[in-house]
Amino acid sequence: MKSAELFDNNNEANRVLLEIWEPSLIVLPIPERTSLANISFRLWLKLTNQTLKPWKINPDGIIIPELIASDGKLLERELTTDNRKNEANRPYQGDNLVNKVVYFISNLIDHFAKRGISWVSTKRATSISITANICWKKDLLQLQLLTNRYQALNSSFFDGIKPENYQLRFIYYSSSKIKPQPEKETFQTINKKPIKGDKLTTYFVNLRLVYLTNPNDKVIEVDGIRFETILPETVLTFPEKKGDIRIPVQIGIRINNNTPNSLRFSFYRTLSGEIVTPNGQIVSGIYRLLGVKSPKESDFPLVLPGKNLTFFPKALFEFKGDRFTLSIALGDGGFLSFEIFKPGIYQIRFTYNNKFEIATIYEREIKNTRLIENIWMGRISTPFVGFCFRTF
């Protein structure tokens, strides 16, 4: 999660740092060979300006991933950089005066949005989103990594990946010293020489792809620890939409510790989730914060060797207005919110994502802080589990 420095500056406190803001271990199940079984997830890069001057981010900068297999070989990468305008998200520019005004305002907003985060102030940080997808292309498993900042789209593809351990890192090239591409032109390069110019390089994180132990069990295992999504009731029946409805449900995660060591797990804002709708659309939960809660020791349960833990966060099905909403508490005062518009067959899964081995809690009894140690770190996504949502 650490990163290399920018420029030839050996002062630790005077660097621009780029890091993968994820745990050092990311574990993902290999999807089944169906068109709807893709594994989609999001990674975050964190860029921190530790210098005494603002640092400029070029919105068209290129972010290139490097993937190394377990045998030490660098995988062949196909990189596509497309600087074309995203016309699908722009209003129609016709002869109508209103359309021209709307188009002008849209361009103006886009211009100021670029200016707003094109500089990272001193001692400040910003984040960059990486959208990732694992899917089958014919008989080859493909990893796709896409960076979409403003209207530049960097897409990298790795074909023929397998169930093994990989190392992943990202390199940011500022385009200030790169020959610009003509408008509406796409260029491609496959492992050509590095582009000259200023660059930031992250350290590697471990990306592990695994087959499910038993697809029917819906369990994923890593280093002797098994994770699964738990739904005691897979058929959820609710009354028709009449007034405000709030019905608690049990949706949780089970962890089996088959290692020889006692381990703690964090449930303080470490869970995220996804739902697959009846039409096959994958919907991520939206994080909403109602208030702030400090972590407690109960947020970090201890699991002894050979034992398991089943954690059911507070979850509610609510009906307000004309829609159903599934809300799952995250322990920090916030919750995940999923909008479910109609009855049908859905699928849900959790992602456990903990970046810290040590947590600090405050104990009112002694009026002091205390450290919780030996917390398992990693990011792991459980297989999808189906449930039927219906009304009567």
Side-chain angles (χ1 to χ4, degrees), residues 28 30-31 38-41 67 75-76 78 132-146 155-162 166 207 209:
L28 297 167
I30 292 179
N38 296 352
I39 301 295
S40 298
F41 59 103
L67 194 65
L75 269 67
E76 185 177 89
E78 179 175 325
N133 189 47
I134 297 176
C135 60
W136 288 96
K137 295 294 184 180
K138 296 183 179 179
D139 291 329
L140 294 177
L141 193 61
Q142 184 182 86
L143 171 63
Q144 306 169 352
L145 296 164
L146 301 93
S155 306
S156 294
F157 304 90
F158 297 93
D159 282 322
I161 58 175
K162 301 175 181 178
Y166 294 91
L207 177 64
L209 303 180

Side-chain angles (χ1 to χ4, degrees), residues 231 233-238 249 251 317 387-391:
L231 278 80
E233 297 183 13
T234 56
V235 178
L236 306 177
T237 304
F238 302 98
V249 294
I251 298 177
F317 260 111
F387 67 94
C388 177
F389 167 62
R390 65 186 185 184
T391 59

